[in-house]
Amino acid sequence: MTDAPRGLRLEDDDRPRLEACRRHHQHVVANQGAGDIGPCERPGEDVRVRDDPCDQRTAEQAARVALDDALIAELQAADTVVIGVPMYNFNVTAQFKNWIDAVARAGVTFKYTEKGPVGLLQGKKVYVVTSRGGIHRDQPSDQMTPYLRTVLAFLGMTDVSFVYAEGMAFAAEQGLSQARAQIDELLAA
């Protein structure tokens, strides 16, 4: 794919590597660059509408709830989740944040208890493949990794491995090579 952004090249070129462990697992590939998940227009109302009886929803609300339900069902059915998300301005993309908002549903993917929230998507292995223009891994500028660890753990997914394609703005081939080596290490484990 010559027209694709460099971050997608890793995911597209190495999809067979990432899916090599499919022999024993179901997968969800959350490729949020291609998704059509819009933001919650009215966050409080959009969340409450999930609890409304179906016959009280507008067609637009029903379509949004159906999309969210499908995304949640996909996650619930998977035992391995592969997420491809680039770093934009030190964090996740708006599209990926929309995906998080779509799948984070109280009583379905997490619940509140007297002792705090409990994630309901437990027992899943998560691989996060991320590209970055600069070098941010283990630096204060990497706000993305701790954010993803936090939100995934909130949903119950704590077995998370990261693959970093870094320096894509100035040393793309080296960044891709290092990411491929990380993928090979994960698959060999």
Side-chain angles (χ1 to χ4, degrees):
M1 285 180 69
T2 56
D3 295 331
R6 291 181 199 263
L8 292 179
R9 277 186 36 204
L10 173 69
E11 185 177 333
D12 292 341
D13 291 349
D14 291 319
R15 188 173 301 274
R17 274 188 174 137
L18 292 170
E19 293 180 351
C21 54
R22 184 173 275 206
R23 293 166 288 198
H24 304 292
H25 302 288
Q26 295 178 13
H27 288 266
V28 171
V29 178
N31 182 358
Q32 299 314 310
D36 188 24
I37 305 168
C40 292
E41 297 297 329
R42 297 164 308 278
E45 182 179 329
D46 288 349
V47 169
R48 283 191 304 275
V49 78
R50 295 172 178 172
D51 298 326
D52 289 346
C54 294
D55 62 347
Q56 293 180 13
R57 296 178 187 153
T58 66
E60 180 182 271
Q61 291 169 333
R64 176 58 192 245
V65 172
L67 172 62
D68 293 358
D69 287 347
L71 294 170
I72 290 168
E74 188 177 43
L75 266 179
Q76 290 171 324
D79 57 2
T80 301
V81 179
V82 180
I83 298 171
V85 60
M87 176 187 274
Y88 282 8
N89 298 319
F90 307 107
N91 214 321
V92 299
T93 63
Q95 293 87 352
F96 188 76
K97 178 62 170 78
N98 292 342
W99 179 80
I100 291 168
D101 291 342
V103 301
R105 186 181 298 173
V108 179
T109 57
F110 69 93
K111 67 180 178 180
Y112 292 110
T113 71
E114 304 81 35
K115 296 179 182 178
V118 175
L120 301 176
L121 298 175
Q122 299 174 3
K124 299 176 186 308
K125 175 63 184 163
V126 179
Y127 297 96
V128 177
V129 181
T130 179
S131 61
R132 292 109 178 272
I135 307 294
H136 300 281
R137 184 178 183 180
D138 299 325
Q139 300 297 315
S141 59
D142 184 2
Q143 299 168 32
M144 182 178 174
T145 301
Y147 170 74
L148 286 172
R149 284 196 188 282
T150 299
V151 75
L152 292 169
F154 181 79
L155 297 175
M157 296 178 279
T158 57
D159 187 1
V160 182
S161 297
F162 284 81
V163 173
Y164 300 91
E166 296 203 297
M168 299 303 290
F170 58 88
E173 291 308 316
Q174 181 179 351
L176 287 172
S177 176
Q178 290 173 350
R180 288 182 179 119
Q182 292 169 51
I183 291 169
D184 289 342
E185 285 178 34
L186 288 170
L187 293 176

